[in-house]
Amino acid sequence: MDDLEKAILIIFDESGAIDEGLKKQTKNYGDEIKGKPSISSLCIEKLCFSNLVQVQFWSLQTLHEVIRVRYSVMGPYEKYFIRKWVFSIACFEGVDDKNVVRVLEGPAFLKNKLAQVLVTLIYFEYPLIWSSVFVDFLPHLSKGAMVIDMFCRVLNALDDGLISLDYPRTPEEISVAARVKDAMRQQCVAQIVRAWYDIVSMYKNSDQELCTSVLDSTRRYISWIDIGLVANDAFIPLLFHLILVRGLSEQLRGAAVRCLLAVVSKRMDPQSKLSLLHSLQISPIFGLVTEDGDCELVSDIAELLTGEKQLLHVGQILEVIRVLIRHDPVYRNNLDILDKIGREEEDRMVEYRKDLFVLLRNVGRVAPDVTHLFIKNSLSSALTSSSESNVEEVEAALSLLYALGESNSDEATRTGSRLLSELVPMLLSTRFPCHSNRLVALVYLETVTRYVKFVEDKTHYIHMVLAAFLDERGIHHPNINVSQRASYLLMRVVKLLKVKLVPFIETILQSLQDVVARFTSMDYTSKVLSGAEDGSHVFETSLAIGILIGLEEVPLEKQSDYLSSLLRPLCQQVEQLLTNAKALTPEEIDAKVVTLQQIIMAMNALSKGFSERLATASRPAIGPYSLYVSFRLGSAYYRYTTFSFSSNFVHAKACFSFLQNLALDVLLQVLVVFPKIEPLWSKVTSFIHRMVETLGASVFPYLPKALVQLLADSEPNEMVAFLVLLNQLICKFNTLVHDILEELFPAIAVRIFSTIPRDALPSDPGTVTEEICELQELQRTFYTFLHVIATHDLSSVFLSPKSRVYLDPVMQLLLNSSCSHEDILVRKACVQIFIRLIKDWCAGTYGEEKVPGFQSFVIEAFATNCCLYSVLDRTFEFHDSNTLVLFGEIVLAQKIMYEKFGDDFLIYFVSKGFPAAHCPQVFVEQYRQKLQGTDIKALKSFCQSLIENLRHQQNESLVFR
């Protein structure tokens, strides 16, 4: 037992025998461990090899925290590492070490925490990054009850943590939930439902507890999946069988009843619901009420039989809900300023309200008219009060309206009911006496945003929506937290309404001028910047403005005017920040860097409103505006010149694109004045990415100096971002970047080969430090960079006079990686690079060599080592889909080498490579025939069979490397 495991046992000790001082000291030690870069691999190692339940739980708990907090800054390899091991543990996949600990054999709370970790990964990665998580899980269900139970826990945790509407969700969570559900519906829901059916059918007599768990998962998902997947001739009879057959456990029969209730409660149009209810033929279940007495099953059946009936005393229930969700006035000030007591009370109330809002929505489904009328009356009552003492009443009424709308579809909100036609205008025109209160202001803005779809086709309400966000109820609210939230919500409203807001742009800009001015006049010499004043509201506001003024419906001259009015204060602020930078103290530099980052973010956000088509095709002169800014690199000299617009202003030579002349030059100057500051470096890189997408080829004059500045003294993580930027440029512009790339490649090669060790980087749990992760990510990005160069007709870059000296190291790197890199995708990329280079550099069998020595290198080194010896290695697993794709590329490489080199390749390959592999002559002849044929699929099939045959007779002492 090591020190960490001892510490964890002390942390979780509840016996009272441990001194509190020691426990506190031990907890600090644990927190220190959590902050280490290698914490992810350490947690995985403890999960796999520690048999202490407390250590396993601590590892899962820590891993969950790391993913939630650090995911956005993790490198791709760390994410892949966590994903791979967590999924393997959840699927009960075996490892070679006999001492491995199986988490699925542990207690329930451990498996629940594992499910929570997996769901957190799904939150961030499904379906864009990890698209196959559910599909990959399903085959493992054949392993039996433990994996099935784990799969149910994952589905339940996904429902509890993200999907279920029974809990309040943030806008981001709602968006992610929609993304996850849409992807699951399209990809795997049908397979999951089939698995549920098969498991219950198979285990209903042998493991009823497992079947109960499966049906609990089924019930949770019925509300949003295609009802036809469950309400069919297979699943419904199975549920009735489980309910009606005697001898089955009460828990299993109750779970089946609750599944039927979920089917009955499914929201659908009335005619479909009537057809469904008729098809269920539910009458046989009535007899169970008298037969089974007072058991819990009867309660479930009674709930099923009363579903679609209205509840008695709905009004009284709603009144109880309204009373219970009200905050205690004693906490009013604490909640308004949000001090420690206020935060605790707010968190407590959020949790307390969850079940109450679930009940509200359930009542709303059963008795919608009664519920809507009650909320209307509650809001009207709050409006008639003239005293600020009704803060809690107003907040509760608005919260009821907000919570009820959570279950409304966008279409239902847009078309609107009679109730919405009354409530939304009332809401938009309201100025509560207590609107200065933080809670009231926030729930008001959230509620307006929730119902903003209603005004999409009712443009006469738009000015009221804007007023709610732009006046003292929103962005100009005295509470900075409300102001920030209003900025974010305004951005969402702008994204939704877009062109409908064009007539109001000038009004919007005038209302926001002081917001930008407040930002640009921030005291950057302050040692502590308030977390509430981090500039995010300016970023969101700038994005909203950029979306609006980037619309083609806005006149060109107006676009220029708007840009000028927004950029002038930002430019002046940059000038101020860059003045006398060398004379600043470290504290002053740090503060200025924070402000510069915010300005860059604002420029970036603003530019997102302008598409490439708009900036380069439909309106190539979009940039001309009244402010011309000229920056001299290496100095802090600026010249401002004002131009008046005329009919031919688009041809004025003095007018330059905002994004070209202003932003890029400004940001390059920032790098000159403040070099080696990673946050600024990152922001500038991100902005150049944005400019490439917005400006297209017109960004070219600014790229050379920008790229040289970014490359100078870059660290590994910065080098990764730099290569990603180059990859974007190459993919977008192809051979147009040849000259730029030819100048940069030697410096890139020097940096790579001096940074990454020639030996393989470690990858085992416990050995991967943060530094190693950065180097692994840099190495993978470099392979991608070489692949992008080769596949975009730029291989001549490798042959330039300055790059020739690096040709041999690059070829050796590609050769070694194509043969033995642990990442199959990297090996595939390397083989594809060789294929492309052979096509580019080898004219034909008798042609003059474009690259002396390349043909012999390919035949003697690449062909034998990669195309034969590497695939003979038993670690080359043909049952793996990615490996099969790699093998297809290897076979294709052989075909291309034969087409280019003819017998020069064939003779050497079969005379040198095959004998070393003890290949019988009959196979040699068959290989020759297949290679000379035209059927590449037949060649691949033969080669796979050949390799498998050679493995069987391979001399175990023969080492292929």
Side-chain angles (χ1 to χ4, degrees):
M1 186 186 303
D2 60 25
D3 290 342
L4 176 60
E5 293 179 336
K6 293 176 183 177
I8 294 172
L9 292 181
I10 292 175
I11 291 172
F12 284 106
D13 184 86
E14 298 294 337
S15 66
I18 304 296
D19 177 74
E20 286 300 317
L22 177 60
K23 289 195 73 171
K24 183 177 180 181
Q25 182 181 357
T26 306
K27 182 180 182 301
N28 292 337
Y29 170 72
D31 292 340
E32 181 181 349
I33 294 293
K34 290 180 180 180
K36 290 190 174 182
S38 59
I39 184 62
S40 299
S41 55
L42 178 62
C43 290
I44 296 296
E45 180 183 10
K46 293 300 181 185
L47 277 176
C48 292
F49 300 107
S50 176
N51 57 7
L52 297 172
V53 172
Q54 297 94 324
V55 174
Q56 294 179 31
F57 184 80
W58 182 90
S59 300
L60 285 170
Q61 189 178 50
T62 301
L63 203 56
H64 182 234
E65 294 173 5
V66 168
I67 298 171
R68 286 193 303 107
V69 175
R70 291 185 51 238
Y71 183 86
S72 62
V73 297
M74 284 183 183
Y77 180 79
E78 186 178 6
K79 296 175 183 176
Y80 166 78
F81 179 84
I82 296 174
R83 176 168 65 244
K84 171 188 174 184
W85 281 97
V86 169
F87 188 75
S88 297
I89 294 169
C91 293
F92 209 64
E93 290 188 338
V95 294
D96 295 332
D97 196 318
K98 295 181 180 178
N99 297 320
V100 69
V101 174
R102 310 287 189 176
V103 174
L104 297 197
E105 296 175 339
F109 68 85
L110 202 60
K111 291 180 280 191
N112 289 338
K113 180 57 70 171
L114 175 60
Q116 193 177 26
V117 173
L118 193 56
V119 166
T120 306
L121 287 172
I122 292 171
Y123 180 98
F124 287 111
E125 299 192 339
Y126 181 78
L128 300 179
I129 298 173
W130 193 8
S131 61
S132 62
V133 53
F134 297 103
V135 175
D136 289 346
F137 213 126
L138 290 172
H140 293 279
L141 301 182
S142 61
K143 294 177 181 177
M146 279 194 295
V147 178
I148 295 172
D149 173 74
M150 189 64 222
F151 187 59
C152 291
R153 292 177 191 271
V154 171
L155 293 177
N156 292 350
L158 182 64
D159 182 65
D160 287 335
L162 182 64
I163 293 177
S164 174
L165 294 176
D166 293 342
Y167 306 96
R169 305 291 186 196
T170 65
E172 179 186 1
E173 289 171 335
I174 293 172
S175 175
V176 174
R179 183 189 75 206
V180 169
K181 290 193 292 186
D182 289 344
M184 290 183 70
R185 287 189 190 102
Q186 184 176 5
Q187 182 194 44
C188 59
V189 162
Q191 300 175 54
I192 292 174
V193 174
R194 180 67 194 187
W196 287 334
Y197 176 85
D198 291 340
I199 292 168
V200 174
S201 298
M202 180 183 300
Y203 288 92
K204 64 180 184 291
N205 295 319
S206 60
D207 195 338
Q208 295 181 26
E209 183 178 354
L210 179 67
C211 293
T212 302
S213 298
V214 172
L215 289 180
D216 180 54
S217 297
T218 307
R219 172 189 58 79
R220 293 165 173 262
Y221 284 71
I222 286 174
S223 65
W224 59 268
I225 65 175
D226 179 4
I227 192 63
L229 295 173
V230 178
N232 53 48
D233 294 336
F235 219 116
I236 294 299
L238 175 62
L239 294 177
F240 272 93
H241 172 81
L242 297 174
I243 296 170
L244 297 172
V245 170
R246 313 294 297 183
L248 296 180
S249 71
E250 181 179 317
Q251 290 74 20
L252 176 57
R253 299 172 74 192
V257 169
R258 290 188 290 276
C259 280
L260 271 181
L261 176 59
V263 173
V264 170
S265 303
K266 177 84 172 179
R267 297 188 66 181
M268 59 184 73
D269 66 87
Q271 190 58 47
S272 299
K273 174 61 70 70
L274 287 174
S275 300
L276 173 63
L277 294 175
H278 179 73
S279 68
L280 291 180
Q281 298 180 350
I282 209 167
S283 57
I285 298 180
F286 280 83
L288 296 179
V289 176
T290 55
E291 293 176 13
D292 287 302
D294 296 325
C295 69
E296 184 178 343
L297 176 62
V298 172
S299 176
D300 290 327
I301 294 172
E303 186 177 0
L304 171 62
L305 297 178
T306 57
E308 303 309 289
K309 288 186 177 179
Q310 293 190 1
L311 297 176
L312 297 176
H313 312 299
V314 169
Q316 290 89 331
I317 294 175
L318 292 170
E319 180 59 30
V320 169
I321 294 174
R322 188 177 71 88
V323 171
L324 291 178
I325 68 169
R326 288 176 60 175
H327 287 278
D328 190 333
V330 73
Y331 296 109
R332 182 181 298 170
N333 291 334
N334 303 101
L335 288 166
D336 192 25
I337 63 176
L338 202 62
D339 57 13
K340 183 177 183 295
I341 295 175
R343 291 182 189 278
E344 292 176 353
E345 174 62 15
E346 187 171 53
D347 292 341
R348 184 195 69 81
M349 203 61 172
V350 166
E351 189 66 27
Y352 177 71
R353 284 176 164 186
K354 286 181 179 179
D355 290 338
L356 293 170
F357 284 148
V358 170
L359 178 58
L360 171 70
R361 288 190 290 272
N362 287 340
V363 172
R365 293 187 186 104
V366 173
D369 292 339
V370 176
T371 305
H372 292 175
L373 180 61
F374 178 84
I375 292 177
K376 177 188 174 183
N377 291 338
S378 298
L379 194 58
S380 298
S381 175
L383 282 172
T384 57
S385 174
S386 59
S387 171
E388 288 206 13
S389 64
N390 71 334
V391 168
E392 291 74 28
E393 181 185 354
V394 171
E395 195 276 339
L398 289 170
S399 296
L400 288 173
L401 179 57
Y402 177 85
L404 187 69
E406 187 171 352
S407 56
N408 281 0
S409 66
D410 286 346
E411 180 61 23
T413 303
R414 188 182 66 81
T415 55
S417 62
R418 182 179 61 83
L419 175 76
L420 286 184
S421 299
E422 298 177 16
L423 281 181
V424 173
M426 179 193 302
L427 188 69
L428 293 174
S429 60
T430 297
R431 294 176 183 267
F432 297 104
C434 57
H435 225 122
S436 60
N437 181 273
R438 184 186 68 88
L439 280 182
V440 171
L442 286 176
V443 71
Y444 175 79
L445 292 173
E446 297 286 354
T447 307
V448 170
T449 304
R450 169 151 287 176
Y451 291 100
V452 77
K453 271 274 183 184
F454 175 80
V455 309
E456 189 173 8
D457 296 328
K458 305 171 184 66
T459 55
H460 54 287
Y461 290 127
I462 288 180
H463 73 283
M464 301 171 71
V465 172
L466 291 175
F469 288 101
L470 296 174
D471 63 23
E472 68 281 358
R473 290 172 293 175
I475 288 177
H476 290 93
H477 195 280
N479 187 301
I480 186 64
N481 294 298
V482 175
S483 177
Q484 277 192 300
R485 188 62 180 170
S487 297
Y488 168 76
L489 294 174
L490 175 63
M491 177 189 67
R492 289 179 49 193
V493 170
V494 167
K495 285 184 175 180
L496 175 66
L497 299 180
K498 284 185 180 177
V499 69
K500 304 289 181 64
L501 298 179
V502 170
F504 305 93
I505 290 180
E506 292 193 8
T507 300
I508 295 172
L509 292 182
Q510 290 172 0
S511 299
L512 296 176
Q513 280 181 348
D514 63 323
V515 176
V516 177
R518 185 174 67 211
F519 168 69
T520 56
S521 62
M522 283 175 58
D523 181 13
Y524 55 80
T525 61
S526 173
K527 293 184 178 180
V528 180
L529 290 175
S530 169
E533 297 178 352
D534 60 0
S536 61
H537 58 298
V538 172
F539 174 85
E540 290 152 355
T541 303
S542 298
L543 177 56
I545 294 172
I547 293 171
L548 282 177
I549 65 179
L551 294 170
E552 291 194 24
E553 289 77 6
V554 179
L556 176 59
E557 293 188 15
K558 286 291 186 182
Q559 285 180 325
S560 300
D561 284 338
Y562 297 151
L563 281 172
S564 175
S565 65
L566 289 165
L567 291 171
R568 186 186 301 271
L570 293 178
C571 296
Q572 293 170 343
Q573 179 74 345
V574 171
E575 178 183 18
Q576 180 185 4
L577 291 168
L578 296 181
T579 303
N580 299 324
K582 293 183 179 179
L584 298 176
T585 66
E587 292 79 9
E588 290 172 329
I589 290 177
D590 290 343
K592 284 196 174 187
V593 165
V594 170
T595 306
L596 283 169
Q597 289 181 72
Q598 295 166 356
I599 293 176
I600 297 171
M601 290 169 59
M603 288 182 172
N604 201 341
L606 188 63
S607 70
K608 288 184 178 181
F610 296 85
S611 66
E612 180 181 359
R613 189 184 66 82
L614 178 75
T616 63
S618 63
R619 289 187 177 178
I622 177 56
Y625 57 91
S626 63
L627 179 64
Y628 165 60
V629 185
S630 174
F631 289 95
R632 294 181 181 176
L633 289 177
S635 68
Y637 174 81
Y638 304 85
R639 182 175 71 252
Y640 297 90
T641 307
T642 303
F643 298 91
S644 59
F645 287 100
S646 63
S647 60
N648 64 344
F649 79 100
V650 294
H651 302 295
K653 294 182 179 179
C655 291
F656 291 83
S657 163
F658 141 60
L659 297 171
Q660 289 172 312
N661 276 289
L662 175 65
L664 286 177
D665 272 348
V666 167
L667 301 187
L668 292 178
Q669 177 69 14
V670 167
L671 289 184
V672 172
V673 177
F674 294 108
K676 297 296 293 178
I677 297 180
E678 196 280 334
L680 281 181
W681 193 100
S682 176
K683 294 293 187 300
V684 172
T685 305
S686 175
F687 189 80
I688 295 176
H689 276 289
R690 184 70 240 162
M691 296 304 95
V692 170
E693 290 301 319
T694 303
L695 295 176
S698 60
V699 79
F700 264 61
Y702 296 86
L703 285 179
K705 60 183 178 183
L707 295 174
V708 169
Q709 189 67 41
L710 291 173
L711 181 59
D713 300 324
S714 55
E715 298 296 329
N717 59 331
E718 296 170 341
M719 192 67 186
V720 169
F722 180 77
L723 293 178
V724 170
L725 174 60
L726 286 182
N727 289 342
Q728 180 196 24
L729 292 170
I730 296 170
C731 292
K732 188 172 185 63
F733 301 119
N734 297 302
T735 56
L736 292 177
V737 299
H738 179 276
D739 293 344
I740 295 175
L741 200 58
E742 191 176 83
E743 287 296 317
L744 290 174
F745 185 78
I748 294 172
V750 168
R751 190 69 50 80
I752 293 295
F753 288 120
S754 63
T755 303
I756 300 177
R758 299 300 173 94
D759 299 330
L761 294 168
S763 59
D764 296 330
T767 63
V768 180
T769 64
E770 184 175 2
E771 180 182 4
I772 295 297
C773 285
E774 288 182 357
L775 293 178
Q776 288 171 333
E777 185 176 1
L778 176 58
Q779 185 189 60
R780 294 172 194 277
T781 308
F782 183 62
Y783 287 123
T784 303
F785 175 60
L786 296 176
H787 185 271
V788 170
I789 291 176
T791 55
H792 286 78
D793 298 318
L794 288 166
S795 62
S796 59
V797 168
F798 300 134
L799 306 180
S800 69
K802 293 181 180 179
S803 300
R804 278 273 188 171
V805 67
Y806 304 105
L807 184 58
D808 182 63
V810 169
M811 292 300 108
Q812 289 296 333
L813 176 68
L814 292 174
L815 174 62
N816 294 337
S817 300
S818 68
C819 295
S820 59
H821 199 284
E822 65 175 10
D823 190 330
I824 293 296
L825 298 180
V826 169
R827 292 174 68 174
K828 181 185 73 171
C830 293
V831 173
Q832 290 174 333
I833 293 172
F834 273 116
I835 291 173
R836 190 58 184 257
L837 295 182
I838 293 169
K839 291 179 177 179
D840 288 353
W841 294 350
C842 303
T845 307
Y846 302 103
E848 181 180 350
E849 282 195 288
K850 186 175 182 179
V851 184
F854 179 70
Q855 176 172 325
S856 59
F857 172 79
V858 169
I859 293 174
E860 297 171 12
F862 171 70
T864 53
N865 286 284
C866 176
C867 300
L868 183 58
Y869 298 160
S870 75
V871 296
L872 280 170
D873 194 301
R874 294 183 184 276
T875 60
F876 196 93
E877 301 175 353
F878 283 106
H879 68 271
D880 177 73
S881 59
N882 286 329
T883 305
L884 272 179
V885 175
L886 167 61
F887 186 69
E889 296 294 332
I890 290 174
V891 172
L892 177 61
Q894 297 171 52
K895 182 68 174 175
I896 291 174
M897 284 188 285
Y898 178 72
E899 292 173 352
K900 290 289 186 179
F901 309 139
D903 288 340
D904 288 349
F905 159 71
L906 186 58
I907 292 172
Y908 188 92
F909 195 59
V910 301
S911 64
K912 298 293 185 179
F914 280 17
H918 303 287
C919 180
Q921 187 62 31
V922 62
F923 289 155
V924 173
E925 293 304 320
Q926 291 178 15
Y927 173 77
R928 186 192 306 272
Q929 294 173 9
K930 297 292 185 182
L931 187 66
Q932 293 172 338
T934 58
D935 191 341
I936 189 69
K937 290 184 179 179
L939 174 61
K940 179 182 176 181
S941 177
F942 170 78
C943 288
Q944 180 175 343
S945 177
L946 171 63
I947 295 301
E948 290 171 341
N949 285 326
L950 291 178
R951 284 180 179 178
H952 286 302
Q953 61 189 32
Q954 178 180 320
N955 182 351
E956 294 298 333
S957 65
L958 189 61
V959 179
F960 296 115
R961 283 291 178 269

